[in-house]
Amino acid sequence: MPSKSVGAEYIKGLWEENPVFRQLLGMCPILAVTNAVINGIAMGLATYFVLILSSVVVSSIKKLIPSQVRIASYIVIIATFVTIADRFMAAFFPPISKSLGPYIPLIVVNCIILGRQEAFSSKNSVGRSLVDALGMSTGFILALLVLSSIREILGMGTFLGHQVMGAWFKPWIIMILPAGAFITLGILLAVALVIESETKKRKN
Amino acid sequence: MTNNRFILKSSPHFKGKDSVPKIMYAVIISLIPAIAASFYFFRIRALLIYLLSVSACLITEAVFLKARKKPMHSLWDGSAIITGLLLAMTLPPSLSLEIVVIGAVVSITLGKHVFGGLGDNIFNPALVGRAFLQVAFPVAMTTWIPPVTNQINTATYATPLGNLKFQAAAAQGALTPLKDLFWGNIGGCLGETSAVALLLGAAFLLYKRAIDWRIPVGIISILTVFTGIFWLTGPDKYASPAFHFLAGGLIIGAFFMATDMVTSPISPLGAWIYALGIGLLIGIIRLFGGFPEGVMFSILLMNTFVPLINRYTRPRILGERSTH
Amino acid sequence: MNLSARMIVVLTAVGLISGSLMAVVGMLTKDRIALNRQQEIEAAILEVVPGTDTSEELFTEKNFTIYGGKNRDGNLIGYAVYTSGTGFQDIISLMFGTDPNITKINALSILEQKETPGLGAKITDKELFLRFWDNKNAGSALSLRKPAVRSQDELAANEVNTITGATISSDKVLSIVNQSLEKLKQIKQAGKLISEDNDAE
């Protein structure tokens, strides 16, 4: 069923089918770990790793898995890569692993990953699944970056730990708390909707 | 008007010649005594905060009306001015001015226009702005200065409720005297300190029937009962109901904020339920919560229940049969 | 192969492969993770018992460990106590150091906390909080100075500063330290601080 070019398959994950802004998936990590840019990047890379490997594995063994047990198999495959990512971070990046806490293991239940296996990798070739996974995880990283930049700059006056706001700036502590995540995400979703409807209007 | 059951009500439930601006301007007039009191107690700082808050609210409102292609004359329906005034009245006098502006912008944006503007907002906009500031700038929002008329030489100054909660003032007999609470010669938010000025305004509102009397009466009675029970069981640990009535933001909250037309229930029964909820929550937060004051959170919490309350307390339409 | 047999085979195979993969990764990273933890503890000991060259565990129970810090000559120069307790939000793990006679607290270090960012989380701030714990009299329980003062000189020898706006978190840290200090003294008096190294004391 290849209907799109490979390029389009990649690009769709960035905006048109962006997992966060358009599909509203992966809300738990997007809300929980975006209080600092470094956490956002770490979460993004871990998801990148898990999504790509799971997609490749699932699409290559899709014919072997009976459909009745597909979800169970996907979850085991995803959990394996998540555990690898978690242990790896704890071993080589202990401070980041500490600040992300339980959210790395929780990638297992990130709907973006299971969703892509079910919706895409289980029906497409290995190559296409890889491109799709690359696009989706890049879209996810972009969303994490946007959200965490806004929250860190407003909430702490810093970007990646460097002071970017002048001494006059009083940090908005609400932005690094969960409430700030919901407010920022809500505003970003509204902006995404406006952009989408404006571009549609222009096309017509 | 003899039998309430035959009146079909829907929001906004004004009757007769009353219009939105008319009610709104009655509210503004009723706030004048309390605003005057805050000028007296906090002088130039009060003036600056009121001016900034109101103008920032008006500008934000204008931007949104323009962006959403709404008629510009609704800028002057008074609702944005009230939001600005009420927000300013709930801010500490020592607050930096840019924080005031942030609060005003948030009030109008997140409190009002994200829901669709006046009439569609779920929460009292001024309280949304204040709640945002409370969480965003917790230190600045809990740093108090004594009024100009009551200069005490201390580095940090606490509100009467803060004294009660954090310094065990009831046990040491160091509670702020009721007389000071009544006149307003105490630390606290700009417009909440003077009970007498607020009550004057409230009397005017009740006389004009611009607010539903059930809401303040319900809030104050349940809080009196709740705090009274604890006071009787342990007067050295708890403050008296009179203290709880006069201190903090109870009066401004009960008369001016909980009664907001848009965000309070329509039916009389609904108003009672809503008021009892607020009063009880205030009592629980003040006595057992982490914060000394709970008026703002209580009203916001009960605001979320208003659609539900309205649904279950809708008066039956003439001839309608129970569907149960 | 019929369907149920196939399901069983596939799930077993997937489970076996992932299980062995995880086992391999676990083994490869285990030492490294333990090392990270040990380095963290050692860095904290050095901070609260300055001049420590080697340290050893003298007493340990759940969430409470006493380390002895020794200088280059092998003399005991102080105790470092690793402990934890409930904060405003979640568990706070910390370490403080004393001199060998437990008459003064050298310094305090917060290892893990999940207090409110911007408020309670300031307990990790050297300038605002931790520096007021340096060289405190440990003869009796410490007390909290409210409202906060600006300089160390304004505090009594057994007084520590609060954080403005985060009294509860400051208070929680204080009570964790006071309890553990008392416990340290009792354990030392009972002679339960046992060094495996016999020539140490």
Side-chain angles (χ1 to χ4, degrees):
Chain A
M1 48 182 273
S3 52
K4 286 181 176 154
S5 72
V6 175
E9 209 75 85
Y10 178 75
I11 295 291
K12 72 170 196 279
L14 302 189
W15 176 254
E16 197 187 326
E17 290 182 28
N18 183 298
V20 174
F21 294 135
R22 307 297 306 152
Q23 300 187 56
L24 295 184
L25 293 177
M27 292 291 110
C28 162
I30 204 96
L31 292 167
V33 305
T34 51
N35 52 2
V37 177
I38 187 75
N39 291 349
I41 292 175
M43 170 55 76
L45 291 178
T47 311
Y48 197 80
F49 167 83
V50 173
L51 180 54
I52 287 167
L53 287 177
S54 312
S55 285
V56 168
V57 170
V58 166
S59 61
S60 43
I61 61 167
K62 59 179 182 283
K63 292 216 175 79
L64 296 174
I65 304 175
S67 67
Q68 290 88 340
V69 294
R70 64 183 196 285
I71 301 285
S73 317
Y74 300 162
I75 283 288
V76 174
I77 293 166
I78 294 166
T80 310
F81 292 120
V82 170
T83 311
I84 293 173
D86 179 45
R87 296 286 84 190
F88 178 80
M89 283 177 109
F92 297 101
F93 305 99
I96 294 178
S97 163
K98 225 178 190 181
S99 66
L100 289 179
Y103 294 104
I104 292 292
L106 279 176
I107 295 176
V108 177
V109 289
N110 186 331
C111 295
I112 295 172
I113 297 171
L114 189 61
R116 285 339 275 172
Q117 310 317 323
E118 178 73 2
F120 201 91
S121 306
S122 58
K123 298 174 192 143
N124 286 281
S125 68
V126 178
R128 274 191 178 272
S129 300
L130 176 66
V131 174
D132 173 76
L134 281 168
M136 285 295 158
S137 40
T138 314
F140 185 58
I141 292 180
L142 281 178
L144 281 164
L145 265 179
V146 173
L147 208 69
S148 58
S149 310
I150 296 175
R151 290 183 62 196
E152 187 180 334
I153 291 173
L154 288 179
M156 291 190 266
T158 60
F159 183 78
L160 276 171
H162 299 286
Q163 195 71 36
V164 287
M165 301 297 256
W168 55 270
F169 179 75
K170 297 191 183 61
W172 305 13
I173 287 162
I174 193 172
M175 296 308 276
I176 49 178
L177 298 175
F182 282 99
I183 293 173
T184 317
L185 182 64
I187 293 173
L188 286 176
L189 289 177
V191 172
L193 274 177
V194 169
I195 296 175
E196 184 67 15
S197 66
E198 289 295 313
T199 41
K200 253 187 203 149
K201 248 187 244 163
R202 219 156 286 163
K203 266 182 204 159
N204 293 339
Chain B
M1 203 50 225
T2 47
N3 194 336
N4 270 331
R5 281 175 54 207
F6 297 114
I7 293 171
L8 214 163
K9 293 184 177 180
S10 87
S11 168
H13 57 133
F14 321 133
K15 291 163 253 159
K17 291 173 290 183
D18 288 352
S19 62
V20 174
K22 207 169 164 191
I23 299 258
M24 294 293 182
Y25 283 107
V27 175
I28 294 175
I29 291 168
S30 73
L31 288 173
I32 287 174
I35 294 172
S38 51
F39 287 158
Y40 173 73
F41 289 123
F42 299 106
R43 307 287 147 93
I44 188 79
R45 283 217 65 88
L47 181 71
L48 281 175
I49 291 177
Y50 280 113
L51 276 180
L52 264 178
S53 174
V54 172
S55 41
C57 278
L58 282 173
I59 291 169
T60 317
E61 178 84 12
V63 169
F64 271 94
L65 290 175
K66 181 104 191 140
R68 299 179 59 224
K69 302 186 181 74
K70 298 259 175 177
M72 205 39 102
H73 64 78
S74 44
L75 182 61
W76 303 109
D77 64 13
S79 68
I81 299 175
I82 290 184
T83 301
L85 287 175
L86 284 178
L87 174 72
M89 293 175 85
T90 59
L91 296 178
S94 55
L95 201 64
S96 12
L97 298 174
E98 79 259 24
I99 296 183
V100 177
V101 176
I102 294 170
V105 173
V106 169
S107 292
I108 298 289
T109 319
L110 297 182
K112 194 168 169 190
H113 280 284
V114 289
F115 298 104
L118 183 67
D120 293 322
N121 49 313
I122 299 169
F123 301 106
N124 184 321
L127 285 180
V128 170
R130 193 194 194 275
F132 184 91
L133 294 184
Q134 173 88 57
V135 188
F137 309 99
V139 175
M141 287 294 285
T142 48
T143 305
W144 309 99
I145 50 169
V148 180
T149 49
N150 184 4
Q151 284 300 353
I152 301 168
N153 214 1
T154 45
T156 46
Y157 187 79
T159 59
L161 284 170
N163 271 328
L164 173 66
K165 175 140 272 169
F166 298 124
Q167 314 291 342
Q172 299 167 4
L175 278 179
T176 316
L178 293 182
K179 189 186 66 152
D180 285 351
L181 292 176
F182 183 71
W183 294 110
N185 200 12
I186 46 169
C189 300
L190 266 191
E192 71 174 22
T193 53
S194 177
V196 63
L198 286 166
L199 288 171
L200 266 177
F204 174 76
L205 276 185
L206 286 171
Y207 166 73
K208 279 267 173 191
R209 299 200 182 174
I211 57 173
D212 186 346
W213 60 272
R214 295 171 189 90
I215 294 172
V217 168
I219 294 175
I220 291 162
S221 2
I222 189 82
L223 185 70
T224 305
V225 171
F226 186 83
T227 55
I229 292 171
F230 284 95
W231 180 58
L232 289 175
T233 56
D236 53 340
K237 201 162 164 234
Y238 299 100
S240 69
F243 181 88
H244 279 287
F245 173 61
L246 293 171
L250 180 76
I251 299 174
I252 189 173
F255 286 97
F256 297 92
M257 289 172 161
T259 52
D260 177 17
M261 294 279 172
V262 180
T263 59
S264 58
I266 300 163
S267 70
L269 177 62
W272 283 120
I273 298 173
Y274 169 79
L276 296 189
I278 294 176
L280 207 58
L281 281 169
I282 295 174
I284 292 171
I285 295 177
R286 280 192 179 177
L287 264 47
F288 310 110
F291 290 101
E293 172 63 302
V295 171
M296 169 183 75
F297 291 122
S298 308
I299 297 176
L300 286 173
L301 269 169
M302 287 311 291
N303 279 165
T304 62
F305 285 99
V306 167
L308 192 70
I309 294 174
N310 277 342
R311 195 184 160 141
Y312 286 107
T313 60
R314 190 170 45 192
R316 262 189 284 157
I317 299 164
L318 179 63
E320 186 190 37
R321 297 229 176 144
S322 169
T323 48
H324 300 298
Chain C
M1 213 182 334
N2 71 16
L3 183 65
S4 41
R6 222 178 106 207
M7 292 194 315
I8 293 170
V9 170
V10 167
L11 272 184
T12 316
V14 169
L16 274 178
I17 297 171
S18 358
S20 24
L21 251 176
M22 284 194 260
V24 171
V25 172
M27 264 165 9
L28 287 178
T29 54
K30 195 180 71 188
D31 295 342
R32 183 76 201 219
I33 292 172
L35 187 70
N36 287 338
R37 162 118 189 111
Q38 199 193 331
Q39 279 174 348
E40 197 192 358
I41 297 275
E42 273 169 15
I45 295 176
L46 186 62
E47 203 180 313
V48 297
V49 184
T52 300
D53 186 56
T54 54
S55 61
E56 60 170 335
E57 247 179 64
L58 298 179
F59 180 89
T60 183
E61 64 181 40
K62 197 169 180 287
N63 296 329
F64 184 83
T65 310
I66 301 171
Y67 298 91
K70 290 182 202 157
N71 64 8
R72 206 161 287 167
D73 306 328
N75 298 324
L76 185 75
I77 51 169
Y79 298 114
V81 179
Y82 170 83
T83 182
S84 55
T86 44
F88 183 53
Q89 303 268 10
D90 205 340
I91 303 285
I92 300 176
S93 299
L94 56 83
M95 191 178 263
F96 66 90
T98 69
D99 63 333
N101 300 322
I102 322 184
T103 54
K104 74 173 182 108
I105 287 183
N106 296 328
L108 173 74
S109 167
I110 305 285
L111 297 176
E112 259 174 78
Q113 54 86 23
K114 293 193 177 66
E115 302 297 281
T116 322
L119 276 180
K122 284 183 186 157
I123 56 173
T124 59
D125 193 311
K126 187 92 202 152
E127 198 49 38
L128 279 169
F129 187 65
L130 292 178
R131 73 185 170 104
F132 296 105
W133 286 78
D134 292 353
N135 300 317
K136 284 293 156 189
N137 188 342
S140 58
L142 298 174
S143 62
L144 208 55
R145 175 65 174 262
K146 292 184 272 196
V149 292
R150 276 162 205 278
S151 96
Q152 180 77 272
D153 307 334
E154 293 176 55
L155 297 168
N158 67 341
E159 227 177 14
V160 293
N161 216 357
T162 49
I163 301 165
T164 308
T167 321
I168 298 175
S169 295
S170 324
D171 209 40
K172 296 281 184 190
V173 171
L174 180 83
S175 67
I176 296 172
V177 172
N178 274 338
Q179 275 169 19
S180 310
L181 192 63
E182 197 47 42
K183 209 162 156 186
L184 171 67
K185 286 178 189 164
Q186 281 169 7
I187 291 168
K188 187 177 159 73
Q189 240 168 20
K192 285 196 214 147
L193 288 182
I194 299 155
S195 166
E196 286 167 17
D197 204 3
N198 284 330
D199 51 273
E201 268 180 273

